[in-house]
């Protein structure tokens, strides 16, 4: 593989070529490496925790906030630096925390040389950005929010590079998308910022989703989501039939993130962010995540023809178009944005080639681009900050006002243009050297060197424009503010980065060399080529290409200078093709036009067709597996039918059908018949040896009936009209017929399935487990209750929580309940009774109502203690005999509702303290506390008493902890039922009040 | 026995489904209640029908499925009954609130031209 001309030069040339002998690095023992791996979570935890803390800083404390954020970034950087010896010798640090190991999901962090290099970039530039932002942000900006988001972004980005698990990688990847959305939209009062943030999130988020699918498939191919395992199975992935699918999905993620053509347009719009954000996101982090992924998976994905074509084409197009567009930008940051796109394209092209040397160049250029681009963004920010504009048509001659900044910016631009003795030159030379190599004999490969030279020429042009247009020329006129040098420490980060560009550019082998080598070895392993980082490689083709690009670029600039000085933003012709507009149009078409027409065509707001669809779907879902699975009708067994049971169900079926028939016009009759069907169900439970169910069913039946009775009053009157079949429209008759057929099909299907299953022998089920252990381990003989409060206690806890939520919802809904006017009248019976009182002078008004059902109401009152006793009985015997918390709770609530029925709402509430909300909260707390109590003894949540009773201190405790849990269930069921019932019952008290208020208001209005 | 119960389940289901498809909220609530009986019985039937089988263990020995009823469907149905009640209550209140707000008891919150 080593055949690049420059590799030849390297071998003949220099001992200064970077070959870091492995023996130079302190050889750490395994124990120390493991210990060092424990430090990896610091990279995630420290910035995230810092982010949470910073958000609570007062917004006027700019200094303190910046110091704190800077300290955290610095700590991360120092930890990174301290970890270098461990990765330098090819070591890999690991940290693993089991998350869902059954699914192969672990919180695995992994640091090798490449991840180290990226961590160093992220944290080092992070520190510089904090320092810069301290001075950049204005006094009125909410600085804590900025630094909180900044730290969160740093953590997410570190998470991306350190993830040792594909799923974790995807999670952090999406986190960077989300946090960058918030950062770009930091000035959310600005519409451009909002748009830019939205476009960035949509593009990178969609790409991220595709990438996640790709990673999932990749994990399936490898059989593990662990990055080490993935990196070790390159052949398996490349030869898999799904390789192309995985490749395209992953590339959608990487190319959108790295703003590669045709997804590049989000990046210029993201320039609406504060400059420190741009400097961070578009130099060392966000956009580098895409090329990071490409490089990370390079060993397993690269080298195929598909990879070469897709990645290469995207990269080359981006390289050329980005550079071309950059020339025509009038906004300083816009120029830098397109230049970023172009440089990312360069890295992508390098990665597409599939040769190890190109990969080395790619990693090198990632670092170089991060340094010069971060410094350029910061310089642009300084210019913007000190002059009040970023428009290059208005800026000129600034060298006179800010000579130091100008010098710094010039050096950084020169690095961007690839001028010798600067770092950009080195990686560009490597790129040229690779571009002229033949990797695969096709048109794209032949084109590469030409495109590279032209793009490089454009790079020289726009770099020169940045320098010449802004810092030279006539004195600037009518700038918003008078320009001057920025504060000392605002410039410091730029100075540092420019110094780095120079040092790396002049003595690369001694500075970046070892670190680069560590990173490269961790990607390429045995395939690491010989390469040289020397500045001088002799007269060779890359140098000639550089020379052509430099002179051509300078010439081009001076040709276009006068045009650019006055032209409008954007390149000619291409500016008509606005990415954003296309994007918006696609979005509108997809999410509004198509969605709406789809809804119009397929959707309906009417419930009946929807219900019909649901029933049809259920029918199909039930019938299909039977038909496909070769379902055979079971033999019909007529014998052994108990006539009494048969009679019972004749009644039951009659009740059900009658209830359905009467539900429209005779609601009360329908309700009574429904109760009949319920009773038949209840008796069936008794018959078939399920006393627990029978008790609960009976009690619930009572409560449900009372509840619906309470509700009946608020429904509109419906008077039956004689239904002449002539009068009914054909459509309605057809619909009823259709519904009838559907109902028969559903009922027949259920009957068939039920009969088939019930006539087959019972297979071995988990029931045996419960039966065997209910007494020995659960300590109760009533297996059903033991399952509820012990074995499956957690389910029960969930269910009572649902009950609690429903009761609260009912309560809340009824608070806002406004009955219709026709429901407000006094019921007919009360009217008759009141009229009777009025007719008889010896009776006061309301006497008849009070005396109505006098004897039953006295009996009901007396029943209260007995009901309470029954509930207590049901509750206490629950663990061993039929009963339990559910039944007891409902029985007790019936006791309460009987009081309401006999005495009326007001009478009861004057005499009894009823606090259903307290009972419910008590119940939930007791149930949860009982569960949590087992933690105290070192057992999992809701471990029951079998362990509890053997405690040495407490001794033999007669009450099982499951009983306490059941007490919680009891209290909650009681509270929830009573709350629902009395909330509904209260409406009849509230309604007359509302009625009276309305009448009073009317009277006053008349007066 | 099985035949009768499955016929019962079928009738309850059919009545319930027919009511689910009706336009009035009250019809739907009755339909849901009927359907929940059917479903509860169906789940209960999955443990097979046993007459005169003891549901409560004899403390002397561990239980087995041959001599006792299947407790698992029973436990499932027991909570289903209570949750079913909660659902009925919630639906009833939604029904009432909808009637209060819209003035109609049609499931769509407004009268259709026919029926």
């Amino acid at each position: 593989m080593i055949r690049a001309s420059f590799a030849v030069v390297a071998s003949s040339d220099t001992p200064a070529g970077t070959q870091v002998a492995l023996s130079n690095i302190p050889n750490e023992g395994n124990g120390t490496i493991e210990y060092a791996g424990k430090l990896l979570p610091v990279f995630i935890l420290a910035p995230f925790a810092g982010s949470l803390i910073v958000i609570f800083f007062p917004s006027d404390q700019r200094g303190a906030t910046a110091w704190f954020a800077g300290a955290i970034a610095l700590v991360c950087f120092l930890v990174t630096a301290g970890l270098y010896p461990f990765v330098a010798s090819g070591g890999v640090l690991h940290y693993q925390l089991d998350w869902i190991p059954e699914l192969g999901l672990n919180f695995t962090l992994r640091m090798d040389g490449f991840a180290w290099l990226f961590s160093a970039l992220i944290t080092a530039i992070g520190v510089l950005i904090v320092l810069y932002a301290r001075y950049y942000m204005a006094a009125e900006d909410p600085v804590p929010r900025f630094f909180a988001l900044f730290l969160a972004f740093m953590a997410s980005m570190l998470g991306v590079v350190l993830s040792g698990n594909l799923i974790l990688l995807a999670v952090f990847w999406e986190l960077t998308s989300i946090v960058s959305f918030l950062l770009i939209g930091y000035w959310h009062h600005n519409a451009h910022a909002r748009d830019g943030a939205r476009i960035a999130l949509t593009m990178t988020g969609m790409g991220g989703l595709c990438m996640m699918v790709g990673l999932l498939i990749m994990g399936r191919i490898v059989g593990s989501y662990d990055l080490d395992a993935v990196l070790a199975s390159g052949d398996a992935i490349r030869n898999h039939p799904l390789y192309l699918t995985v490749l395209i999905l992953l590339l959608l993620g990487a190319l959108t993130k790295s703003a590669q053509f045709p997804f590049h347009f989000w990046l210029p719009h993201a320039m609406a962010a504060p400059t420190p954000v741009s400097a961070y996101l578009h130099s060392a982090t966000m956009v580098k995540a895409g090329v990071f992924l490409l490089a990370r998976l390079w060993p397993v994905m690269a080298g195929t023809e598909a990879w070469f074509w897709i990645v290469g084409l995207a990269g080359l197009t981006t390289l050329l178009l980005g550079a071309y567009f950059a020339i025509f930008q009038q906004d300083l940051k816009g120029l830098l944005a397109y230049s970023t796109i172009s440089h990312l394209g360069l890295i992508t092209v390098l990665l597409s080639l599939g040769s190890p040397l190109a990969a080395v160049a790619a990693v090198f250029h990632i670092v170089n681009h991060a340094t010069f681009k971060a410094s350029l963004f910061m310089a642009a920010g300084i210019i913007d900050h000190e002059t009040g504009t970023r428009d290059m048509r208005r800026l000129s001659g600034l060298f006179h006002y800010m000579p130091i900044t100008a010098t710094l910016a010039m050096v950084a631009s020169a690095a961007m243009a690839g001028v010798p003795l600067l770092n950009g030159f080195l990686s560009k030379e490597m790129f040229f050297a690779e571009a002229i190599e033949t990797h695969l004999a096709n048109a794209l490969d032949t084109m590469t060197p030409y495109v590279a030279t032209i793009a490089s020429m454009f790079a020289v042009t726009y770099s020169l424009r940045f320098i010449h247009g802004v810092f030279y020329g006539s004195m600037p006129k009518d700038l918003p503010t008078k320009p001057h040098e920025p504060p000392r420490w605002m410039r410091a980060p730029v100075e540092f980065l420019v110094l780095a560009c120079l040092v790396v550019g002049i003595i690369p082998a001694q500075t970046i060399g070892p670190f680069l080598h560590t990173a490269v070895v961790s990607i390429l392993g045995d395939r690491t080529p010989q390469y040289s980082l020397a500045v001088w490689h002799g007269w060779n083709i890359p140098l000639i290409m550089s020379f052509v690009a430099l002179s051509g670029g300078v010439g081009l600039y001076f040709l276009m200078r006068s045009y650019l000085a006055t032209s409008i933003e954007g390149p000619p012709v291409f500016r008509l093709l606005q990415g954003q507009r296309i994007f918006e149009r696609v979005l509108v078409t997809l999410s509004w036009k198509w969605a709406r027409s789809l809804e119009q065509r397929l959707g309906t707001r009417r419930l009946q067709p929807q219900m019909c669809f649901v029933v049809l779907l259920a029918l199909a879902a039930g019938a299909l597996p039977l038909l496909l699975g070769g379902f055979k009708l079971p033999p019909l067994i007529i014998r052994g039918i108990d006539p009494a049971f048969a009679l019972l169900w004749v009644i039951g079926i009659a009740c059900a059908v009658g209830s359905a028939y009467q539900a429209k016009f005779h609601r009360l009759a329908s309700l009574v018949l429904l109760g009949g069907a319920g009773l038949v169900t209840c008796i069936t439970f008794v018959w078939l040896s399920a006393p627990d169910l029978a008790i609960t069913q009976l009690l619930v039946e009572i409560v449900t009936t009372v509840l619906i009775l309470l509700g009946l009053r608020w429904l509109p009157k419906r008077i039956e009209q004689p239904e002449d079949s002539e009068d009914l429209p054909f459509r309605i008759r057809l619909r009823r017929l259709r519904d009838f057929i559907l109902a028969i099909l559903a009922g027949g299907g259920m009957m068939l399935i039920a009969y088939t299953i019930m006539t087959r022998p019972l297979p071995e089920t988990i029931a045996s487990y419960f039966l065997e252990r209910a007494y020995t381990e659960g300590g109760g003989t009533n297996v059903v209750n033991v399952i509820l409060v012990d074995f499956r206690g957690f389910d029960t806890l969930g269910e009572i929580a649902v009950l609690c939520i429903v009761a609260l919802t009912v309560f809340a809904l009824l608070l806002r309940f406004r009955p219709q006017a026709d429901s407000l009248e006094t019921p007919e019976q009360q009217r008759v009774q009141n009229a009777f009182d009025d007719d008889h002078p010896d009776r006061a008004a309301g006497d008849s109502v009070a005396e109505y059902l006098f004897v039953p109401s006295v009996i009901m009152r007396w029943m209260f203690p007995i009901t309470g006793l029954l509930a207590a009985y049901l509750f206490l015997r629950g663990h061993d005999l039929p009963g339990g918390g559910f039944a007891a709770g409902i029985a007790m609530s019936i006791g309460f509702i009987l009081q309401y029925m006999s005495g009326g709402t007001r009478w009861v509430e004057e005499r009894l303290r009823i606090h259903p909300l307290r009972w419910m909260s008590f119940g939930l707390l007791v149930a949860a506390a009982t569960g949590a109590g087992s933690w105290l003894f070192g057992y999992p949540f809701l471990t029951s008493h079998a362990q509890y009773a053997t405690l040495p201190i407490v001794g033999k405790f007669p009450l099982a902890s499951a009983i306490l849990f059941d007490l919680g269930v009891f209290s909650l069921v009681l509270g929830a039922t009573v709350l629902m019932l009395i909330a509904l019952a209260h409406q009849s008290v509230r309604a007359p009040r509302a009625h009276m208020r309305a009448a009073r208001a009317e009277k006053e209005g008349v007066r | 026995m099985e035949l009768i119960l499955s016929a019962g389940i079928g009738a309850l289901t059919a009545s319930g489904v027919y009511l689910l498809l009706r336009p009035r909220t009250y019809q739907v609530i009755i339909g849901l209640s009927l359907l929940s009986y059917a479903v509860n019985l169906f789940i209960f039937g999955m443990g097979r029908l046993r007459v005169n089988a003891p549901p409560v263990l004899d403390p002397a020995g561990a239980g087995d499925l041959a001599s006792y009823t299947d407790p698992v469907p029973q436990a499932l149905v027991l909570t289903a009954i209570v949750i079913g009640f909660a659902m009925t209550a919630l639906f009833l209140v939604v029904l009432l609130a909808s009637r209060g707000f819209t003035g109609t008891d049609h499931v769509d919150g407004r009268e259709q031209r026919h029926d």
Side-chain angles (χ1 to χ4, degrees):
Chain A
M1 292 300 282
I2 309 159
R3 62 222 139 101
S5 65
F6 105 7
V8 176
V9 172
S11 49
S12 66
D13 209 18
T14 152
T18 313
Q19 268 306 311
V20 179
L22 294 183
S23 55
N24 286 356
I25 307 298
N27 206 0
E28 298 295 335
N30 273 337
T32 340
I33 280 206
E34 260 171 43
Y35 182 72
K38 297 257 190 301
L39 279 174
L40 289 181
V42 170
F43 291 112
I44 314 292
L45 291 180
F48 268 136
S51 164
L52 282 180
I53 295 169
V54 154
I55 199 89
F56 293 108
F57 274 53
S59 55
D60 54 345
Q61 297 287 318
R62 272 205 300 168
T65 319
W67 271 110
F68 183 79
I72 291 201
L74 193 63
V75 164
C76 290
F77 175 69
L78 292 178
V79 175
T80 316
L83 289 178
Y84 182 68
F86 298 98
V87 294
S89 48
V92 180
L93 297 179
H94 280 100
Y95 174 84
Q96 180 154 340
L97 197 70
D98 282 350
W99 181 14
I100 314 175
E102 295 84 0
L103 298 179
L105 288 184
N106 293 311
F107 187 83
T108 314
L109 297 178
R110 174 185 183 281
M111 182 189 260
D112 58 4
F114 185 50
W116 183 88
L117 188 69
F118 250 97
S119 309
L121 269 182
I122 294 165
T123 51
I125 295 189
V127 173
L128 299 175
I129 295 282
V130 172
L131 179 61
Y132 177 77
R134 157 73 183 83
Y135 294 95
Y136 180 85
M137 301 309 281
E140 64 269 20
D141 290 326
V143 176
R145 181 156 61 88
F146 174 82
F147 283 113
L149 290 173
F150 174 81
L151 286 176
F153 186 81
M154 193 164 97
S156 321
M157 195 59 211
L158 284 168
V160 168
V161 299
L162 292 177
S163 289
N165 184 296
L166 296 183
I167 307 295
L168 194 65
L169 174 74
V171 171
F172 280 119
W173 184 281
E174 295 294 3
L175 267 178
T176 59
S177 293
I178 293 167
V179 183
S180 71
F181 166 75
L182 296 171
L183 274 171
I184 297 170
Y186 174 73
W187 285 322
H188 50 67
H189 48 81
N190 179 343
H192 286 298
R194 291 199 301 269
D195 279 347
R198 193 167 47 86
I199 298 175
L201 179 67
T202 317
M203 294 309 294
T204 57
M206 269 186 339
L209 280 181
C210 295
M211 183 198 76
M212 183 154 152
V213 177
L215 290 177
L216 285 174
I217 303 177
M218 186 182 245
R220 296 291 293 203
I221 295 175
V222 177
S224 163
Y225 294 116
D226 195 67
L227 192 57
D228 286 309
V230 170
L231 290 179
S233 34
D235 287 330
I237 294 172
R238 280 190 299 271
N239 296 328
H240 199 272
L242 281 174
Y243 167 76
L244 193 63
T245 319
V246 175
L247 177 67
I248 290 173
L249 287 168
L250 289 182
L251 287 182
L252 277 173
L255 298 184
T256 49
K257 200 81 164 180
S258 279
Q260 296 296 291
F261 181 84
F263 311 113
H264 62 282
F265 57 87
W266 70 262
L267 201 148
H269 288 286
M271 290 299 130
T275 300
V277 173
S278 311
Y280 196 45
L281 262 57
H282 305 137
S283 66
T285 56
M286 178 83 168
V287 294
K288 288 285 164 64
V291 285
F292 168 82
L293 187 77
L294 292 183
R296 179 88 282 177
L297 297 175
W298 190 88
V300 292
M301 300 294 286
T304 62
E305 195 140 333
W307 167 278
F308 179 83
W309 272 100
I310 305 176
V311 182
L313 208 56
L316 267 187
T317 320
T318 317
L319 168 68
L320 189 65
L321 283 185
Y324 177 66
F325 288 3
I327 299 175
F328 296 95
Q329 299 304 309
Q330 298 296 1
D331 178 7
L332 271 183
K333 278 176 80 179
L335 185 151
L336 293 178
Y338 278 105
S339 142
T340 302
I341 293 175
S342 167
H343 278 274
L344 287 166
L346 191 156
I347 299 169
T348 309
V349 174
L350 281 170
L351 288 168
S352 79
L353 297 176
S355 95
L357 261 177
V360 175
V363 177
F364 192 26
H365 198 69
I366 287 176
V367 180
N368 291 340
H369 175 253
T371 37
F372 66 69
K373 196 47 70 65
S375 61
L376 279 172
F377 267 117
M378 289 194 225
I382 289 175
I383 295 168
D384 184 16
H385 202 255
E386 308 306 340
T387 65
T389 180
R390 297 194 314 243
D391 191 331
M392 278 186 277
R393 283 164 298 195
R394 298 176 67 186
L395 294 167
S396 67
L398 285 185
F399 191 87
H400 181 74
Y401 297 101
M402 36 173 79
I404 305 177
T405 309
T407 313
L408 294 171
M410 280 190 271
V411 176
S413 298
M416 174 162 78
V419 172
L421 292 184
L422 290 165
N423 60 356
F425 171 72
L426 296 173
S427 43
K428 195 191 60 178
E429 287 289 286
M430 289 168 94
F431 170 53
F432 283 164
E434 271 307 300
I436 48 181
E437 282 300 307
T438 305
H439 299 93
L440 289 170
N442 57 35
L444 190 64
D445 201 64
T446 323
M447 246 165 58
T448 311
Y450 302 103
V451 175
T453 315
I454 296 171
S456 185
M457 196 169 85
F458 289 157
V460 173
T461 308
Y462 66 69
S463 304
L464 193 58
R465 174 153 191 247
F466 185 92
I467 299 169
H468 192 262
V470 173
F471 297 113
Y472 292 96
S474 57
M475 287 294 135
K477 289 188 253 331
D478 56 75
L479 286 178
T481 53
K482 189 172 158 34
H484 54 84
E485 280 288 347
R488 172 78 197 82
W489 288 103
M490 187 173 182
R491 212 173 51 212
V494 190
E495 286 165 359
F496 178 85
L497 287 170
V498 168
L499 189 68
C501 290
L502 272 167
V503 171
V504 170
I506 296 167
I507 40 167
Q510 289 79 2
T511 49
I512 190 76
F515 306 114
L516 181 65
H517 187 74
T518 312
V520 167
V521 169
S522 73
I523 299 176
L524 298 175
D526 311 335
R527 295 172 65 194
T528 309
Q530 287 285 335
Y531 62 91
S532 148
L533 284 182
V535 176
W536 177 249
H537 285 135
W539 291 101
N540 53 14
I541 305 175
L543 195 65
I544 296 167
M545 285 163 77
S546 278
F547 185 73
V548 170
L550 270 173
S551 47
V554 173
L556 187 66
Y557 172 67
F558 283 102
L559 277 179
M560 297 181 68
R561 199 175 142 199
S562 54
Y563 167 76
L564 288 175
T566 51
S567 70
I568 53 167
E569 183 101 27
V573 185
F574 283 101
R575 80 166 75 91
L576 301 175
L577 260 177
Q578 281 190 2
Q580 187 196 2
R581 202 166 296 163
I582 298 169
F583 169 81
E584 297 283 355
R585 200 157 294 167
V586 167
L587 214 60
V588 165
T589 312
L590 269 180
S591 67
W592 178 242
K593 283 192 193 148
W594 288 6
R596 212 173 43 159
S597 75
L598 208 66
E599 194 215 344
Q600 273 169 353
R601 260 166 233 189
L602 301 179
T604 169
R605 298 201 172 184
R606 299 185 48 222
L607 200 65
Q608 281 173 280
Q610 294 179 25
M611 287 305 296
C612 186
F613 184 68
V614 170
V615 170
L616 272 175
L617 211 63
L619 267 177
L624 265 183
L626 291 186
L627 294 176
L628 295 178
F631 174 70
K632 283 195 196 73
L633 282 176
L636 205 59
I637 309 166
I638 309 278
R639 65 196 146 69
I641 288 179
D642 193 321
F645 193 70
L647 184 67
L648 179 73
W649 270 102
V650 169
I651 299 172
I653 292 171
C655 281
V657 175
S659 171
Y661 184 68
Q662 296 290 356
K664 188 164 187 183
F665 294 111
H666 299 283
R667 296 191 186 118
L668 185 62
S670 173
L671 181 60
V672 171
L673 289 169
L674 176 74
L679 277 181
V680 169
T681 309
C682 175
I683 297 170
T684 308
F685 286 142
V686 178
W687 203 295
L688 298 172
S689 330
D692 262 304
L693 295 189
I695 293 175
T696 317
Q697 177 78 52
L698 185 65
L699 294 169
V700 165
E701 204 53 53
I702 298 170
V703 187
T704 312
T705 310
V706 172
L707 193 78
I708 299 182
L709 276 175
L710 283 169
L712 273 184
R713 172 168 174 196
W714 309 109
L715 288 171
K717 289 200 180 76
R718 190 171 305 289
I719 291 121
E720 187 171 14
Q721 285 146 353
E723 280 198 7
D724 236 339
S725 53
E726 301 288 315
D727 293 346
L728 268 178
F730 179 68
R731 262 184 52 209
I732 295 194
R733 273 191 292 163
L734 195 66
R735 182 154 74 204
R736 286 190 187 166
L737 183 69
R738 181 200 69 192
D739 293 349
F740 185 73
I741 293 171
L742 269 182
I744 295 294
L745 281 177
M750 276 292 269
M751 175 177 170
L752 196 66
I753 299 175
Y755 181 72
T756 315
I757 298 177
M758 286 192 288
T759 47
R760 288 178 186 212
L762 186 63
E764 186 55 32
T765 67
I766 47 168
S768 321
Y769 171 89
F770 291 131
L771 282 168
E772 277 160 25
R773 286 170 178 73
Y775 188 67
T776 49
E777 290 176 21
T781 50
N782 181 5
V783 190
V784 176
N785 185 271
V786 175
I787 290 177
L788 286 179
V789 298
D790 188 342
F791 290 130
R792 307 296 304 165
F794 195 64
D795 296 358
T796 310
L797 187 66
E799 274 153 6
I800 58 174
V802 169
L803 198 64
C804 185
I805 293 165
V806 168
L808 290 176
T809 316
V810 164
F811 184 61
L813 273 172
L814 285 175
L815 279 182
R816 298 256 163 217
F817 176 60
R818 296 286 172 272
Q820 284 287 308
D822 62 338
S823 306
L824 284 176
E825 299 162 5
T826 319
E828 194 184 350
Q829 181 182 324
Q830 284 186 25
R831 276 208 303 274
V832 172
Q833 287 168 335
N834 289 340
F836 180 79
D837 288 343
D838 293 343
D839 290 348
H840 293 73
D842 55 322
R843 296 180 72 88
D847 272 2
S848 296
V849 178
E851 287 165 10
Y852 183 62
L853 287 180
F854 193 68
V855 175
S857 73
V858 170
I859 295 174
M860 280 196 258
R861 244 168 247 172
W862 287 356
M863 287 290 282
F864 186 62
I866 299 168
T867 323
L869 199 65
L870 174 74
Y873 174 66
L874 281 176
F875 172 71
L876 286 175
R877 74 204 286 262
H879 217 49
D880 285 341
L881 291 165
F886 276 114
I890 297 172
M892 195 63 220
S893 68
I894 292 174
F896 280 102
I897 203 65
L898 279 180
Q899 298 314 301
Y900 274 82
M901 283 165 70
S902 65
T905 313
R906 292 201 187 87
W907 185 89
V908 177
E909 287 176 1
E910 279 159 17
R911 286 162 182 78
L912 272 176
R913 280 165 199 277
I914 295 177
H915 297 295
L917 285 172
R918 288 188 201 168
W919 302 340
M920 279 160 66
S921 33
F922 171 78
L924 204 56
L925 284 176
V926 165
T930 313
S934 49
W935 280 336
L936 291 181
F937 306 103
Y939 292 104
F941 190 62
L942 274 172
T943 307
S944 191
H945 84 301
Q947 293 85 354
Y948 191 70
T950 49
L951 270 175
I953 310 155
V954 185
K956 185 85 178 161
F957 194 58
L959 281 179
S961 77
I963 287 269
L964 265 180
F965 183 74
D966 216 14
L967 178 67
V969 174
F970 165 76
S971 179
L972 191 136
V973 170
L974 170 64
T977 317
V978 169
L979 181 69
M980 288 191 271
L981 286 171
I982 65 173
L984 202 51
H986 263 251
Q987 298 310 315
S988 54
V989 184
R990 284 179 49 190
R993 274 193 222 138
H995 201 47
M996 266 148 40
R997 264 203 305 275
R1000 212 181 303 137
E1002 206 172 291
K1003 222 180 277 171
E1004 276 164 14
V1006 169
R1007 237 180 259 161
Chain B
M1 200 63 93
E2 285 82 5
L3 186 64
I4 296 170
L5 187 61
S6 48
I9 292 173
L12 285 169
T13 312
S15 315
V17 168
Y18 182 73
L19 283 181
L20 275 193
L21 299 169
R22 297 297 90 219
R24 302 290 154 195
T25 46
Y26 186 76
Q27 292 176 307
V28 178
I29 199 172
I30 296 289
L32 279 175
S33 300
L34 286 172
L35 206 56
S36 68
Y37 292 145
V39 172
N40 286 347
L41 283 169
F42 181 79
I43 297 174
F44 173 69
M46 293 304 100
R48 306 300 182 271
L49 310 185
R50 303 280 296 277
V51 184
N52 291 333
V56 171
L57 290 177
D58 181 358
D64 63 282
L65 212 47
S67 45
Y68 293 95
T69 53
D70 188 345
V72 179
Q74 293 198 22
L76 287 175
V77 171
L78 197 135
T79 45
I81 294 173
V82 180
I83 294 287
F85 160 67
M87 184 205 66
T88 310
L90 182 64
F91 187 67
L92 181 76
V93 173
V94 170
L95 177 167
L96 295 181
S98 149
R99 146 83 174 138
F101 282 125
T102 63
T104 165
D105 65 341
H106 196 282
V107 286
D108 294 337
R110 55 165 187 237
E111 291 295 329
Q112 298 296 327
R113 264 168 300 155
H114 301 292
D115 75 48

